[in-house]
Amino acid sequence: MPRNWNPFPTHEGKSTSVPYTKQQLHEFFKQHDKDGDKLLSKEELKKAFDDLQSRTPGFRAWRAMGKADADGDQHISQQEMEALLDYAVGIKYPVKA
């Protein structure tokens, strides 16, 4: 998928304010697993929330860990991804054109 891919095209120069879907966020977070270990560290989450244009990416990463890191290992595993996605979907980050 191209880096600037947008499943919600703009019309007549107007951008949409449609929030990311759970599936889109899943792909987005997978792309932020920079070391390929299939875990998301707090730093990888912070970068992801920054790329989502969060005003407080450090806080969002900390909060996501609190919501999703069930085993307390400071990483979001594949088993914990659903809770992360539920948290992120609830924030309703808009898709950027």
Side-chain angles (χ1 to χ4, degrees):
M1 178 173 0
R3 186 160 181 80
N4 294 328
W5 177 76
N6 183 353
F8 302 104
T10 59
H11 300 282
E12 299 178 23
K14 296 178 183 176
S15 65
T16 64
S17 61
V18 176
Y20 281 97
T21 65
K22 194 178 268 193
Q23 182 179 356
Q24 289 170 315
L25 284 169
H26 188 256
E27 289 302 314
F28 184 83
F29 284 121
K30 278 178 29 180
Q31 291 174 4
H32 283 79
D33 176 16
K34 297 302 180 188
D35 57 11
D37 62 358
K38 297 189 180 184
L39 300 170
L40 288 170
S41 68
K42 186 174 179 183
E43 286 305 310
E44 289 168 330
L45 280 175
K46 184 177 176 182
K47 175 68 173 131
F49 283 111
D50 187 50
D51 289 351
L52 285 168
Q53 299 184 349
S54 169
R55 288 181 279 170
T56 55
F59 170 77
R60 290 295 178 197
W62 172 80
R63 188 84 166 128
M65 280 289 176
K67 295 277 188 184
D69 184 20
D71 62 11
D73 68 352
Q74 297 300 300
H75 289 85
I76 304 299
S77 67
Q78 294 300 305
Q79 294 79 14
E80 297 164 328
M81 183 63 72
E82 190 69 23
L84 171 62
L85 294 173
D86 288 343
Y87 170 70
V89 164
I91 299 168
K92 299 185 178 175
Y93 286 107
V95 173
K96 300 296 180 196

